[in-house]
Amino acid sequence: MNIEPIVALEIGTSRVRVFVGEAREDGALMITAVGDAASSGMRKGEIFHFDSVCACVETALRQAEEAADLKINEVYLAMSGSQIEALPSRAEIPVDGEITPQDVDHVKRMAKEVTLPADREILHSIFGQFAVDGLPGVTPVGLVGQRLAAEMLIVHGVHSRMVNLVRVVKALKLEMAEPLFSGLCSAQAALSAEQKHQGALLIDLGGGKTDYVVYAQAKIADAGVIGVGGDHVTNDVARAFRLSTTEAEALKLQHGDAMVSAAGRTRRLPLPAAAGEAPRTAKLSDLQTIVHLRMEETFGLIAARLKRQKLLSLLGAGVVLTGGGAHLKNVAALAEKVFGLPCEIGVPRNASGLTANLAVPEYATGVGAVLHGYRSARTAAEESRSAWKKLAHWFGVN
Amino acid sequence: MAAKSENAQDDVRELRCRVLVAGVGGAAGNVLGHALADWPEPPTVAAVNTDVRALEATAVALKVAIGRTVAKGMGTGGDAELGRLAANEDLDALRALVAGHDLLLLVAGLGGGTATGAAPVLARIAREEGLLVLAYVTLPFAFEGARRQEQAQEGLADLKQSADAVIGLPNQRLHALLPSDTSLPDAFAFVDRMMSAGIRGLWTLLARDNMLNLDFSDLQSLVENSGNECGFGYGEGQGPGKAEQALQGLLEGPMLEKGRVIANSGAMILNVAGGPDLSLAELETIHRRFQEAARPGARISLGAAVLAGWTGRLALTVLAAEHWLPPARPGSLVIPAGPDVPADVPAGRARKNVQQSELQLGGAGDRGRFRDVAPTIHEGADLDIPVYIRRGIRIPS
């Protein structure tokens, strides 16, 4: 099976990243090149200044092309923001005796048909499970029953915002392989099959937004985006200590902490002062408080939503954090406190050949997008092969 | 209808802008009662409530009882849903109330059931009838409890959707201005006084026979391009230094955050009310002081009204749009991200859901680097504003 190199593009609020993956001899996926450039023109996972975004994407693409020695023509686009949400959907049809593959297709198609507000568009229709006569989790073809149901999760976002991200790809004369929700990509890369099976919450802490994906009862039960990210922490710090964004970002990276410590109350941090200004300091505990409140709120919003949907008790494998924000000191401890579940930092797995410096939480989305692309390319290759076989068979019969 | 006219010119003005002041709920009824107490020429003032006894007790002449079926003439017991149902039960009465007016000044003490539930309905009806709707609301004190706070925030979010602009006055902020030993009745009375001064100021700004022309279109332009964020201030002075006194009260007082709202504002309406002794020099001083205080290039519309019996007295009213944006900004790509904003609206109108008013904890000035993008609103709270500010935590501690 010959699969072209898979390229994933992630246009984030703080970084633009390009990942190139190639199939190894043994069929496993290997990331062969990464392009990683600072992002500008993005806010909260969405485009704020089109031309700046295009320029940043181009930089990252060139880096990756050079490293992989490859001309990139087609990309899988990992997108976020766009008020992406998930809507559970269910369809049921009467069946007569033995369930056929046609029945299955029919009920799946019906479950995919949901009415969304006019400005929204479906990004993914994720299959959940079938139920025959109320018995869930069955493989229906060949069973006998009276009612066949299909459950799906429809991931959708605001059309115009998603289109703007796609327009960047078009502007750079690239082909779009498939648009993907970045949260799903991160889950793809960072969660093990075991974790998905036991139930897990993946939270990707990005610069401009926070994605979450919930696996419960061996299927994806919820997903969405909160328009709050690391930039908000930086902005809070800048506002509190009257610092520039750059200064606040540096302070956050160096001393930021999701938990308030007793030692923080007595320790003072020097703050950058303008020329001629008296030297200033800030209490470490003040910085910790600002960061703690922001992260606690963000986690709290997700926890409240999951609680309402009664999903919180189904997460046997706990919480996995990815994204650049996962580097924040004590962030896992805070998540454990808010969710009342064990929490770990997730790094890309499920792809071989990753060198140590690639196994970082902020690469989960990009690697996950490549993984997805690789799997769908492989499926497509297999399907075309089997379709060819079928065709040959037909011709043979005739 | 509107104020009693004393000459033909008043009639002309009244044709231009017929103002209705309507209070929804018990707290607003009280405020309007205060405001009316020494109001020489009141506009049309109405009280809307589910509670018939409270309606009977208010000094407001025009009383609209709503929700006789759902609330049975009683209060809503703090249930906003009941308030909403009550208003929906009497949509026709509300429609009849607002008909024939150009501007609705809607007064409500958010947090209570009737105010929180019914005010957004009234605002929506008024807008459907073509009125410009300016909501002037209080938010509860912290000690009134989290549930009331939450309910108030939800009401505020609804109101932002349905009104053209919301001016919010969080009681908690006023609380900080009161001496710590202030009694509870005094604290509420203080809030009522602040509210009634505001209502009267707005009314003066709009409806008087103004010496300097300031009218409905000025307000409309300000409100429509303010992104729904208006800061409001009112100051008074008496005696020889009355202009200076009023200016000081306003620019250094709490309502405009010691002038910070003015400093950040792109456009404002400024109205001076005085007696026959109001001098040109005073007007010039006031205008100059605001020009100095405002950011360069800010649009300042000045109006002046002469009131009989106001000799030796001067009042200043300011309505400031901190995020005034020219209606169209071709060429700049702004992607609004608010939850309910259609993506194709220009920047100036895209901020429909922005947390209102500099008078609140967490004004637009706290949005920092997010000030130019549409806000992230969750259950009425603007998540772009630092959490510590929204929770009222002092940093540095």
Side-chain angles (χ1 to χ4, degrees):
Chain A
M1 201 181 339
N2 194 11
I3 294 175
E4 291 288 297
I6 305 289
V7 183
L9 168 63
E10 180 199 4
I11 307 174
T13 306
S14 67
R15 308 294 301 180
V16 174
R17 298 194 180 103
V18 176
F19 291 80
V20 182
E22 288 174 48
R24 281 193 330 203
E25 296 277 301
D26 62 359
L29 178 76
M30 185 168 64
I31 300 294
T32 53
V34 179
D36 189 342
S39 178
S40 80
M42 296 283 290
R43 289 272 193 284
K44 303 189 202 174
E46 293 171 9
I47 297 172
F48 168 70
H49 193 286
F50 189 79
D51 292 344
S52 313
V53 175
C54 287
C56 297
V57 171
E58 198 155 20
T59 309
L61 278 171
R62 296 298 154 259
Q63 278 180 21
E65 282 185 333
E66 216 161 281
D69 192 18
L70 167 89
K71 173 85 184 81
I72 295 173
N73 299 314
E74 188 188 61
V75 294
Y76 286 84
L77 177 65
M79 56 168 65
S80 187
S82 313
Q83 293 165 36
I84 289 171
E85 293 175 21
L87 176 76
S89 142
R90 188 173 196 277
E92 195 171 74
I93 56 166
V95 283
D96 190 17
E98 192 183 317
I99 295 164
T100 63
Q102 286 76 28
D103 293 332
V104 168
D105 278 354
H106 182 201
V107 74
K108 268 176 109 171
R109 235 186 5 257
M110 276 176 64
K112 275 184 197 174
E113 274 173 25
V114 292
T115 315
L116 296 174
D119 62 335
R120 289 193 162 259
E121 195 183 22
I122 294 176
L123 186 56
H124 299 283
S125 306
I126 304 165
F127 174 70
Q129 62 180 358
F130 291 114
V132 174
D133 294 344
L135 182 70
V138 294
T139 310
V141 176
L143 292 180
V144 174
Q146 281 162 351
R147 304 197 69 78
L148 169 66
E151 288 174 14
M152 303 200 76
L153 191 74
I154 309 297
V155 178
H156 56 97
V158 173
H159 174 78
S160 55
R161 321 252 173 100
M162 299 197 293
V163 163
N164 276 320
L165 288 161
V166 174
R167 276 179 60 224
V168 173
V169 174
K170 300 281 177 218
L172 295 170
K173 309 245 181 311
L174 294 171
E175 290 296 318
M176 262 290 283
E178 205 182 326
L180 305 166
F181 171 42
S182 63
L184 286 172
C185 297
S186 302
Q188 201 69 259
L191 295 183
S192 67
E194 181 66 15
Q195 284 171 317
K196 290 178 188 172
H197 190 76
Q198 289 178 351
L201 163 65
L202 178 124
I203 301 176
D204 191 278
L205 300 161
K209 51 78 212 173
T210 301
D211 301 332
Y212 62 92
V213 174
V214 184
Y215 282 82
Q217 292 166 328
K219 59 181 203 289
I220 299 176
D222 193 17
V225 177
I226 292 171
V228 171
D231 280 357
H232 284 78
V233 181
T234 304
N235 188 52
D236 295 358
V237 172
R239 171 69 177 72
F241 301 127
R242 288 179 290 114
L243 298 173
S244 71
T245 303
T246 321
E247 290 164 348
E249 179 76 16
L251 188 68
K252 174 186 87 171
L253 291 179
Q254 201 181 347
H255 299 287
D257 191 333
M259 297 297 245
V260 183
S261 64
R265 292 184 214 287
T266 50
R267 182 157 169 223
R268 298 200 75 94
L269 307 169
L271 293 180
E277 212 181 73
R280 292 196 292 149
T281 61
K283 244 194 257 174
L284 174 60
S285 63
D286 279 351
L287 176 66
Q288 290 169 332
T289 303
I290 296 164
V291 177
H292 173 79
L293 287 172
R294 174 60 82 176
M295 298 310 296
E296 189 189 37
E297 178 183 79
T298 306
F299 288 149
L301 293 175
I302 298 172
R305 184 178 160 93
L306 266 52
K307 208 170 174 182
R308 274 200 299 274
Q309 302 185 65
K310 308 205 185 337
L311 291 172
L312 216 44
S313 55
L314 303 176
L315 308 178
V319 184
V320 176
L321 301 178
T322 59
H327 286 294
L328 175 67
K329 193 174 169 191
N330 281 323
V331 71
L334 176 66
E336 286 188 353
K337 188 169 150 264
V338 173
F339 292 99
L341 292 166
C343 173
E344 63 176 55
I345 306 298
V347 296
R349 53 211 297 173
N350 311 337
S352 60
L354 289 183
T355 56
N357 65 352
L358 284 176
V360 287
E362 59 267 40
Y363 283 176
T365 301
V367 173
V370 175
L371 264 167
H372 175 93
Y374 176 62
R375 281 174 192 159
S376 58
R378 209 169 52 179
T379 315
E382 270 163 16
E383 271 173 8
S384 71
R385 210 168 46 178
S386 64
W388 170 246
K389 265 192 197 159
K390 233 183 244 170
L391 221 58
H393 177 67
W394 272 30
F395 280 120
V397 167
N398 288 340
Chain B
M1 294 302 295
K4 260 183 279 166
S5 46
E6 287 175 9
N7 54 44
Q9 212 188 341
D10 259 349
D11 284 332
V12 172
R13 186 156 300 282
E14 278 170 23
L15 281 178
R16 271 207 224 146
C17 180
R18 293 158 298 178
V19 180
L20 170 70
V21 182
V24 183
N30 289 342
V31 169
L32 290 180
H34 280 274
L36 280 172
D38 56 348
W39 203 330
E41 296 171 27
T44 313
V45 180
V48 177
N49 207 340
T50 55
D51 187 340
V52 176
R53 274 178 55 198
L55 269 182
E56 277 166 10
T58 161
V60 175
L62 199 54
K63 298 169 188 187
V64 183
I66 53 167
R68 281 172 201 274
T69 315
V70 295
K72 301 182 176 60
M74 323 261 275
T76 52
D79 183 352
E81 182 59 15
L82 206 55
R84 195 179 62 77
L85 289 174
N88 280 322
E89 191 183 318
D90 286 296
L91 289 180
D92 287 344
L94 296 179
R95 225 177 274 281
L97 174 69
V98 299
H101 293 90
D102 300 306
L103 177 105
L104 170 66
L105 181 57
L106 193 161
V107 182
L110 292 183
T114 307
T116 311
V121 179
L122 177 60
R124 200 190 71 231
I125 293 297
R127 275 191 88 182
E128 282 175 11
E129 293 294 311
L131 282 79
L132 188 74
V133 180
L134 204 55
Y136 189 51
V137 300
T138 56
L139 298 172
F141 285 109
F143 62 70
E144 293 180 63
R147 201 184 92 80
R148 217 174 153 85
Q149 285 284 0
E150 262 175 46
Q151 183 158 294
Q153 286 297 337
E154 280 167 22
L156 187 64
D158 282 357
L159 214 45
K160 283 175 198 165
Q161 304 285 329
S162 45
D164 286 286
V166 181
I167 304 167
L169 198 62
N171 287 356
Q172 194 55 34
R173 180 169 191 93
L174 299 177
H175 190 218
L177 308 168
L178 292 166
S180 56
D181 57 354
T182 308
S183 73
L184 193 60
D186 284 353
F188 281 113
F190 178 71
V191 173
D192 284 4
R193 275 207 305 283
M194 292 289 274
M195 284 294 277
S196 35
I199 295 160
R200 295 186 53 179
L202 283 170
W203 160 244
T204 316
L205 186 153
L206 285 166
R208 286 305 311 176
D209 169 22
N210 289 345
M211 199 166 76
L212 273 175
N213 197 24
L214 188 67
D215 63 14
F216 188 54
S217 62
D218 288 294
L219 180 73
Q220 197 165 19
S221 151
L222 184 89
V223 163
E224 286 185 349
N225 299 312
S226 70
N228 283 24
E229 301 181 47
C230 283
F232 175 80
Y234 180 77
E236 265 197 51
Q238 281 179 347
K242 57 187 188 294
E244 196 53 45
Q245 246 181 60
L247 270 169
Q248 242 178 23
L250 204 52
L251 291 175
E252 287 163 36
M255 291 185 91
L256 294 172
E257 296 190 359
K258 301 188 174 171
R260 198 180 67 76
V261 173
I262 297 300
N264 289 329
S265 174
M268 66 199 77
I269 288 182
L270 182 57
N271 193 63
V272 188
D277 61 340
L278 180 66
S279 72
L280 197 59
E282 281 170 324
L283 286 180
E284 273 176 351
T285 307
I286 290 165
H287 188 251
R288 183 171 44 78
R289 286 284 295 278
F290 269 87
Q291 234 170 7
E292 287 165 1
R295 80 176 187 218
R299 216 170 78 155
I300 303 177
S301 313
L302 181 71
V306 172
L307 311 173
W310 269 54
T311 305
R313 195 172 161 198
L314 184 146
L316 270 176
T317 310
V318 185
L319 199 57
E322 195 178 11
H323 288 281
W324 190 83
L325 291 167
R329 289 204 309 177
S332 64
L333 182 75
V334 177
I335 310 291
D340 298 290
V341 183
D344 55 350
V345 294
R349 297 289 291 172
R351 306 172 55 84
K352 184 82 188 147
N353 300 311
V354 177
Q355 182 95 350
Q356 240 75 110
S357 170
E358 296 352 287
L359 301 173
Q360 284 188 16
L361 282 174
D366 297 317
R367 296 172 47 79
R369 68 176 316 206
F370 305 111
R371 66 163 52 229
D372 295 323
V373 292
T376 303
I377 303 289
H378 182 83
E379 289 173 0
D382 183 345
L383 300 187
D384 292 339
I385 293 170
V387 188
Y388 74 91
I389 291 180
R390 277 183 276 131
R391 302 237 179 115
I393 291 166
R394 188 179 285 277
I395 303 250
S397 59

